[in-house]
Amino acid sequence: MASTQTSFVTTVTKPVPSKARPDDADSKPHHATPGKVFKNPWPSFVYRPGRSIGLELVYRSWTGKAKKMVTEGHGIPVQKATFLPSRHIKSTDAGKDAASSDGRLLSQDTIRATWLGHACFYVEFPSGLRVLFDPVFEDRCSPVSWFGPRRFTEVPTTIADIPFVDACFISHAHYDHLSQATVLRLKEKHPNCHFFVGLGIKKFFTGLGIDKCTELDWWEDAELRVRSEDTADKAAAAEIAAQVSCLPAQHASNRGAFDENHSLWASWAVCSGGKSVWFAGDTGYRAISADIPEEARSKYTPELHRRFPCCPAFKQIGELKGPFDLGLLPIGAYEPRLLFSSLHSNPYDSVNIFVDTRCRRALAMHWGTWDLATEEAVMEPPEMLKEALRSKKLPETGVFDTCGIGESVEV
């Protein structure tokens, strides 16, 4: 794989306000305290401190109210992930195709996305750009290696097996989305990888000696450029360009007990080579109240849809930044709804987000990897996703799909 020996250098322009942004973007309604503490500025969100959610989960467990997630025999397919060995694309003119080491090429109008578990996707753009979203390759998502949620499905690859990582996008600072050990291995294997993070997270990276990090606010854009240092390698693109947008999500962020919402959570849009991906990160859609019967909290009837406001940011994203060729959307870690509806989307929420953001296709994530003390059955999210698609009169397959861990999907 001669092409993998080529050195690629990344550069990023200074972040600028997006040309397409909502009227209230300049007033920054999500800044509770400028530059220090952030908030979800919509009626679709009901604030509950993270500590109170944790205590409620402990209480439910002690009193026997909690439904334990059974992970044994889960049935989630896991395979070894494979990646394209070069940045070559398949030209429409077959005579101009460049041969990669094993003959695998990406068409010039195709995105290839590989699910690496939970919220981690590796995306190969037809331009040659290669990016990671929310990589966590550890056995536990926790500040310590001996305690905390344990992975119940295997990691389908290692960082050493990934041939190129030009950029890495972090949605927020929670441990199941940001891992210090993973970041350090990425720095070692891919020293030119550039990290994109929300406000307040850059100091985490500078503390690890990483200076290739750009911190953005919602509705800010930056341009990423990747160029080969080996001018003799005609196989490598002379320069790859990508437009990066930091966009809203409805969630929270912290690393410890006393820094709740001191850093910003975000979704990300990346466009390169004429193809676009929207990564939702971790997000809720609306808050459900206690007066709704428990059996009705997960599914939305027209009456519930009218009663509980949805987050308006997703329609703004779709109208101002969409449509997107591919959306990467969360569907898991949502029960009990009274605790998690503001923070985590269930499949019905996710299908609404899919429609609002004007994604042409979508792949599901944020399920099937960690037991995060939520109470839905392991295989409930993909089953409920089909129900939710039917409720919107959308096809059950070929539009918003699940895939196996380690599986690659071309869109």
Side-chain angles (χ1 to χ4, degrees):
M1 298 192 298
S3 61
T4 62
Q5 302 304 314
T6 302
S7 177
F8 291 88
V9 177
T10 58
T11 56
V12 176
T13 63
K14 184 179 180 180
V16 296
S18 176
K19 293 179 181 178
R21 63 187 187 275
D23 294 338
D24 66 347
D26 291 338
S27 67
K28 302 186 184 300
H30 58 294
H31 287 225
T33 305
K36 293 184 179 180
V37 180
F38 305 93
K39 65 179 181 180
N40 295 287
W42 312 290
S44 58
F45 181 82
V46 175
Y47 174 70
R48 294 192 66 167
R51 291 185 296 276
S52 73
I53 293 175
L55 289 172
E56 178 65 21
L57 290 173
V58 170
Y59 172 78
R60 288 177 64 85
S61 178
W62 282 351
T63 58
K65 293 182 178 180
K67 300 175 184 177
K68 181 174 174 55
M69 180 182 286
V70 179
T71 58
E72 293 80 8
H74 50 72
I76 301 168
V78 181
Q79 65 188 61
K80 181 175 175 56
T82 61
F83 312 103
L84 300 179
S86 80
R87 298 180 189 266
H88 296 295
I89 64 167
K90 187 182 296 182
S91 170
T92 52
D93 180 351
K96 294 182 180 179
D97 283 353
S100 64
S101 61
D102 64 357
R104 285 183 294 135
L105 300 172
L106 190 65
S107 298
Q108 61 185 10
D109 60 351
T110 301
I111 297 170
R112 187 174 187 265
T114 305
W115 188 35
L116 302 180
H118 200 51
C120 181
F121 267 93
Y122 181 73
V123 178
E124 296 161 295
F125 285 82
S127 64
L129 183 72
R130 306 292 187 253
V131 305
L132 271 173
F133 293 99
D134 279 4
V136 178
F137 289 84
E138 315 314 312
D139 288 333
R140 291 187 187 272
C141 55
S142 168
V144 294
S145 61
W146 48 269
F147 181 76
R150 183 188 291 274
R151 187 183 293 268
F152 63 84
T153 46
E154 298 175 18
V155 182
T157 191
T158 66
I159 291 172
D161 288 335
I162 304 176
F164 309 98
V165 182
D166 301 314
C168 181
F169 296 87
I170 304 298
S171 65
H172 63 295
H174 287 159
Y175 286 92
D176 55 326
H177 296 258
L178 176 58
S179 160
Q180 178 172 312
T182 293
V183 166
L184 288 173
R185 289 205 299 278
L186 274 170
K187 175 190 176 185
E188 180 180 2
K189 170 65 178 175
H190 302 281
N192 288 318
C193 172
H194 199 96
F195 293 88
F196 289 88
V197 301
L199 295 181
I201 302 180
K202 185 175 181 177
K203 61 186 178 183
F204 170 88
F205 288 85
T206 56
L208 299 178
I210 296 173
D211 58 359
K212 291 183 179 296
C213 182
T214 296
E215 192 174 71
L216 281 80
D217 198 355
W218 290 353
W219 303 106
E220 282 190 333
D221 294 344
E223 186 177 59
L224 169 69
R225 290 190 175 272
V226 182
R227 72 178 189 278
S228 168
E229 287 192 320
D230 184 0
T231 56
D233 184 3
K234 299 189 187 322
E239 188 171 68
I240 300 165
Q243 185 78 16
V244 172
S245 298
C246 179
L247 298 168
Q250 181 173 292
H251 198 56
S253 186
N254 69 295
R255 298 287 284 178
F258 303 105
D259 64 341
E260 188 171 35
N261 298 342
H262 286 205
S263 61
L264 185 63
W265 50 98
S267 64
W268 295 94
V270 183
C271 181
S272 184
K275 305 297 284 186
S276 57
V277 171
W278 180 65
F279 173 71
D282 203 349
T283 186
Y285 188 63
R286 72 177 96 215
I288 299 297
S289 66
D291 62 329
I292 300 300
E294 187 169 358
E295 64 274 10
R297 290 171 188 165
S298 291
K299 301 179 182 180
Y300 290 127
T301 64
E303 180 184 354
L304 289 180
H305 190 82
R306 288 189 295 268
R307 179 174 173 185
F308 297 102
C310 63
C311 178
F314 300 111
K315 281 194 174 180
Q316 292 174 335
I317 290 170
E319 292 167 358
L320 297 170
K321 291 294 186 178
F324 301 100
D325 295 293
L326 177 65
L328 305 173
L329 278 66
I331 65 167
Y334 50 78
E335 288 289 352
R337 294 307 284 152
L338 287 183
L339 296 181
F340 291 109
S341 59
S342 281
L343 297 167
H344 289 168
S345 300
N346 74 358
Y348 280 83
D349 295 326
S350 296
V351 170
N352 280 309
I353 292 172
F354 168 76
V355 172
D356 288 353
T357 52
R358 300 170 63 198
C359 294
R360 296 188 178 101
R361 289 282 306 277
L363 292 173
M365 63 176 188
H366 206 265
W367 73 284
T369 306
W370 312 99
D371 181 353
L372 297 175
T374 58
E375 298 177 16
E376 72 275 8
V378 170
M379 294 303 293
E380 183 180 284
E383 294 166 359
M384 187 183 290
L385 177 60
K386 292 184 178 181
E387 296 174 8
L389 288 165
R390 287 196 299 269
S391 75
K392 283 284 189 179
K393 296 182 170 50
L394 292 170
E396 290 184 23
T397 59
V399 174
F400 187 167
D401 296 307
T402 58
C403 64
I405 294 176
E407 181 181 353
S408 299
V409 178
E410 293 191 7
V411 174

